[in-house]
Amino acid sequence: MECNRRVPPDRVLSSFSNYVIGMMATSIPAVLSAITNASLRGLGKAQASSYIAIGSAILNVILVSLLANQAGLALTGLVYANAISSTSALLVSTFLLFHSKSLGNIPSFNFCMSHYLMLRYVGIPVFASYCLIFISTFFYNRIVSSFGEQVLAGFGVGYRIQTMVILPGMAIGSAIGIIINHNLADALRHRAYEGFRKGMLHSYFLYLCIAGVLWIWKEPMVSLLIADPLASMEAVRYLHIVAGSFILMGPMLTVLLTKEQTGQGFRALLLNALYFVLIIGIGWILTSITGKVESFYWCIFGVNLAGVLVIIPTFRMYRTKFTVSSQRNMSNHAL
């Protein structure tokens, strides 16, 4: 099942341009929703924030099926679905944020050094990470668009499913970060590491199940989202190649979210940037050489598996930082 490279016709370029412009516009409520959701987590409402994220993703999938397939809007339907789901999430999270009892207890913001450092090491890296996701999506679509409209539509559906897949990893990573910070505040460093270890075990098991389900039942899942046979075939091909790598992609994302929540935002941002640069750079080169879109999919697969190079050092770092250092402090006190 091969797809030869060809120069896209004018109508495909026009459709792609409109799609990119529309997605850029929908990124505004999406980013604002991410900010309000992060504020909810900061006020201790992590459960509500997770429900909003999951609900928004489910609404997006339903709208894509209705607008892109049933209504026949194709790529325009994807834009409308994104706009409606992200705006809905923004409205709900904003309502909960300003009706939170905790909001009234927040002290007035003074531009002192402590607030600046909090913004510098947490807020700014998280914001930059969301910007990286948007920029990378633009380049992904640019690489795939040269293979035709059906391939682009199929890739869009497959990548949308992957976007849903990352949500549990984000939720688990945020929860682990809260547990670590809570235990560090109570000087329980060994419990901070145990929280990280058990959270990662949950992430591994969850993504083992997710990868298996998506790989086995990819055809019926894709058929719910897109009706065009060629685009549907492309989405299935994407999941057939990439779904197995979710076993490590999910835990890698959990690690990065944990880093962002525990004062290592710039390190997480650097790793995020490296992840997207590798996929875009290597993917562009491979598709140019082979003329096959599968090369790009295999590139994503390989870079996802390389996430183990992030996971293992992070385990060692947290173990040394929380467990070994705690034991040394106890020995020093005993002496």
Side-chain angles (χ1 to χ4, degrees), residues 100-279:
S100 172
K101 294 181 180 179
S102 303
L103 189 62
N105 299 327
I106 297 178
S108 59
F109 181 83
N110 297 317
F111 289 96
C112 60
M113 184 57 67
S114 61
H115 289 119
Y116 168 74
L117 291 175
M118 184 181 297
L119 179 65
R120 177 183 173 186
Y121 290 111
V122 180
I124 293 176
V126 172
F127 171 76
S129 294
Y130 278 105
C131 292
L132 278 176
I133 294 174
F134 166 72
I135 295 172
S136 65
T137 302
F138 169 80
F139 281 104
Y140 289 179
N141 289 332
R142 185 67 186 87
I143 293 173
V144 177
S145 66
S146 60
F147 294 95
E149 188 175 5
Q150 281 79 18
V151 174
L152 178 61
F155 168 76
V157 171
Y159 192 70
R160 176 61 57 189
I161 293 175
Q162 179 175 317
T163 302
M164 290 181 58
V165 167
I166 71 175
L167 292 177
M170 295 176 65
I172 295 174
S174 297
I176 294 175
I178 293 172
I179 292 172
I180 289 177
N181 291 329
H182 176 75
N183 283 297
L184 290 181
D186 293 337
L188 300 173
R189 302 179 71 84
H190 64 287
R191 291 184 60 180
Y193 174 72
E194 278 302 305
F196 173 73
R197 187 181 67 84
K198 291 181 179 178
M200 288 301 299
L201 289 176
H202 281 84
S203 181
Y204 280 124
F205 177 76
L206 178 61
Y207 277 98
L208 177 63
C209 296
I210 290 175
V213 168
L214 284 177
W215 196 85
I216 295 172
W217 286 292
K218 51 187 175 292
E219 289 90 352
M221 288 185 180
V222 168
S223 65
L224 293 174
L225 299 178
I226 191 165
D228 183 86
L230 292 179
S232 178
M233 190 181 302
E234 191 61 36
V236 169
R237 174 164 54 176
Y238 177 81
L239 291 176
H240 179 77
I241 294 174
V242 178
S245 67
F246 294 163
I247 297 174
L248 288 178
M249 185 200 72
M252 176 184 66
L253 183 66
T254 301
V255 165
L256 294 179
L257 262 292
T258 302
K259 285 179 175 291
E260 289 180 350
Q261 300 291 326
T262 55
Q264 302 177 66
F266 280 107
R267 186 174 296 179
L269 176 60
L270 178 61
L271 292 171
N272 262 322
L274 180 61
Y275 171 82
F276 291 124
V277 167
L278 286 175
I279 290 178

Side-chain angles (χ1 to χ4, degrees), residues 11 31 35 39 46-47 66 77 80 85 88 97 112 134 146 155 170 215 223-224 234 247 253 321 327 335:
R11 68 180 184 86
V31 171
I35 293 173
S39 300
Q47 188 177 37
L66 293 175
Y80 288 156
S85 59
S88 299
L97 181 63
C112 60
F134 166 72
S146 60
F155 168 76
M170 295 176 65
W215 196 85
S223 65
L224 293 174
E234 191 61 36
I247 297 174
L253 183 66
K321 185 176 181 181
Q327 292 173 351
L335 293 175

Side-chain angles (χ1 to χ4, degrees), residues 8-21 75:
D10 292 339
R11 68 180 184 86
V12 174
L13 287 175
S14 176
S15 177
F16 174 71
S17 298
N18 292 333
Y19 172 75
V20 171
I21 293 172
L75 292 179

Side-chain angles (χ1 to χ4, degrees), residues 277-308:
V277 167
L278 286 175
I279 290 178
I280 294 169
I282 298 175
W284 206 312
I285 293 172
L286 289 178
T287 53
S288 298
I289 294 175
T290 64
K292 297 179 180 179
V293 71
E294 300 100 305
S295 301
F296 180 57
Y297 301 163
W298 281 113
C299 175
I300 296 176
F301 175 87
V303 177
N304 284 344
L305 291 185
V308 70

